[in-house]
Amino acid sequence: MDQHIAEAIGRPDLIRLDDRLVCLRFETMKVVSALAAVRHLLDTGVVRRGDTLLDSSSGIYAYALALACHRHGMHCHVVGSTTVDKTLRTQLAVLGATLEQMEPCDDLKLDQKRRVERIHEILAAHPEYHWMRQYHDDIHYLGYRAIADRIREETGTDRLTVVGGVGSGASTGALARYLRDASGNARISCPPRCQTGAAPTDVELVGVQPYGSLTFGAQHTSDPEIIIAGIGSSIPFGNVSHELYDTLHWISFDAALSGAVDLLRRHAVFAGLSTGAAYLAARHEHDRALERTVLFIAPDTGHRYTDTVYTRHREATPLAHLTPRDIADQTELALPWSRMPWNRTPTSPLTA
């Protein structure tokens, strides 16, 4: 029996949608990451019950950290994006978390920059607060070990492809490390670039990015709609290990909307915009290599996207009409969808 609702919320479902196409569906994915990170900080004496934990979030991590703080008797202070909606604001308030939300801004890149600047201002005034650094501290990998173990048990790691939005790098990075480690005990509590030292398994990692994201060198592009919050970045993230990724997909808002609508219509899975993008990429990877099992990550439900995505379901393009443009480097990027082999390259001049 679970001792706190956060444990239930963080436990994902594994759903087989089609032959060798699997959905790893979370209610709120980052809960597993935040719970494990806070538990580790308490166990190692870095923080104590009653301390204040601080971080920046575009939405999902704010809720996850608030739940982890509630579970462990901590205070929570979040600097939130303009994308934090009324429902989440209300939940955070009732849970006792303090939310500072950025003023409305059409530029999510600027929004992210301002949030980080505000974090530094708060730390200067309250040096006793602990900054969780979800984008840079690899303790956020720890919660995914049990999930990787379950995937290994239920799908195996023979010819497995994992597809997910990159974001902070923690979920896809951790799953790839744990699944590629034959023992399942990859060393996560070390610098992000460390090697596991174990015999590799046949696990490929496919990252999904929005146009305009700096992480894999697409900052020179833009989406006429919006940047898909949470799967890209305008600043470098320390938790992104570029050398883990085999392939990259850049997917526009319109294409992701089409993916999300198709996922609900075809498989009854109601999920967010980043899931729509991951599903679109996963279907393509599945069709390219029918002998491989393709698992894609659905990090949250679709409730936050009812007005921005699902009420526009009639605008969705049939997926049969969507095909990625295969490119050799980032200078060839073009909307609505581009795909590029990354081949576990450590970094790229265009990501600097």
Side-chain angles (χ1 to χ4, degrees):
M1 183 180 295
D2 293 321
Q3 301 302 308
H4 192 274
I5 186 63
E7 295 158 8
I9 290 174
R11 187 181 304 111
D13 305 306
L14 268 173
I15 307 166
R16 187 172 298 281
L17 303 185
D18 206 341
D19 182 40
R20 295 188 176 272
L21 181 63
V22 178
C23 176
L24 180 67
R25 177 196 174 273
F26 292 85
E27 182 175 339
T28 305
M29 180 181 71
K30 290 189 176 181
V31 171
V32 295
S33 176
L35 276 176
V38 173
R39 181 73 266 165
H40 178 77
L41 291 172
L42 286 166
D43 289 346
T44 55
V46 175
V47 300
R48 296 177 295 177
R49 288 176 63 88
D51 285 354
T52 296
L53 305 183
L54 168 72
D55 215 340
S56 164
S57 172
S58 61
I60 295 178
Y61 187 78
Y63 180 51
L65 184 59
L67 285 174
C69 287
H70 189 277
R71 169 70 177 85
H72 292 295
M74 318 287 287
H75 298 291
C76 177
H77 192 117
V78 174
V79 178
S81 167
T82 60
T83 58
V84 175
D85 61 19
K86 180 180 179 181
T87 300
L88 180 54
R89 290 197 301 270
T90 303
Q91 286 177 291
L92 294 176
V94 175
L95 284 169
T98 302
L99 171 68
E100 291 187 40
Q101 190 169 11
M102 293 291 98
E103 292 297 322
C105 175
D106 293 331
D107 186 350
L108 286 182
K109 296 179 183 179
L110 178 59
D111 174 77
Q112 196 170 51
K113 181 175 181 290
R114 292 191 306 178
R115 281 187 279 138
V116 174
E117 290 173 348
R118 179 58 185 150
I119 288 286
H120 287 291
E121 292 174 356
I122 294 170
L123 288 172
H126 297 279
E128 73 277 13
Y129 286 7
H130 180 82
W131 183 15
M132 292 298 294
R133 301 177 78 243
Q134 65 150 320
Y135 303 133
H136 306 291
D137 192 334
D138 67 359
I139 61 171
H140 291 91
Y141 281 51
L142 298 173
Y144 295 101
R145 173 178 285 151
I147 296 169
D149 289 343
R150 184 179 170 197
I151 293 170
R152 182 182 290 105
E153 291 171 4
E154 298 197 28
T155 72
T157 55
D158 179 30
R159 293 177 293 184
L160 175 67
T161 299
V162 176
V163 181
V166 177
S168 69
S171 60
T172 50
L175 289 176
R177 280 216 181 92
Y178 286 129
L179 290 169
R180 285 173 181 167
D181 187 289
S183 66
N185 293 309
R187 292 169 56 236
I188 299 302
S189 56
C190 60
R193 301 298 187 263
C194 68
Q195 301 297 316
T196 66
T201 54
D202 184 10
V203 177
E204 293 185 355
L205 181 59
V206 177
V208 180
Q209 286 273 274
Y211 290 91
S213 174
L214 172 145
T215 307
F216 286 89
Q219 64 270 28
H220 60 288
T221 65
S222 61
D223 192 324
E225 283 274 0
I226 63 168
I227 293 177
I228 304 173
I231 68 170
S233 176
S234 63
I235 59 175
F237 285 169
N239 273 341
V240 176
S241 294
H242 294 78
E243 68 275 13
L244 295 176
Y245 297 85
D246 296 282
T247 306
L248 268 295
H249 287 251
W250 287 267
I251 294 177
S252 70
F253 173 91
D254 288 339
L257 179 152
S258 299
V261 170
D262 187 272
L263 180 60
L264 178 58
R265 180 177 291 133
R266 190 186 305 259
H267 299 289
V269 177
F270 184 49
L273 193 61
S274 60
T275 301
Y279 169 64
L280 192 62
R283 279 173 54 95
H284 182 77
E285 296 300 323
H286 175 266
D287 291 344
R288 286 177 61 96
L290 296 177
E291 75 283 0
R292 299 187 68 83
T293 295
V294 179
L295 178 146
F296 69 94
I297 301 170
D300 62 350
T301 67
H303 296 88
R304 290 199 302 153
Y305 304 91
T306 300
D307 293 334
T308 56
V309 174
Y310 287 99
T311 58
R312 299 172 57 179
H313 63 91
R314 292 182 180 84
E315 301 174 27
T317 301
L319 298 199
H321 299 168
L322 289 172
T323 304
R325 176 181 182 180
D326 287 309
I327 62 175
D329 61 60
Q330 298 96 323
T331 62
E332 300 175 6
L333 281 167
L335 277 72
W337 183 5
S338 297
R339 178 186 184 275
M340 188 177 84
W342 188 258
N343 299 322
R344 306 191 189 185
T345 305
T347 188
S348 164
L350 291 180
T351 66

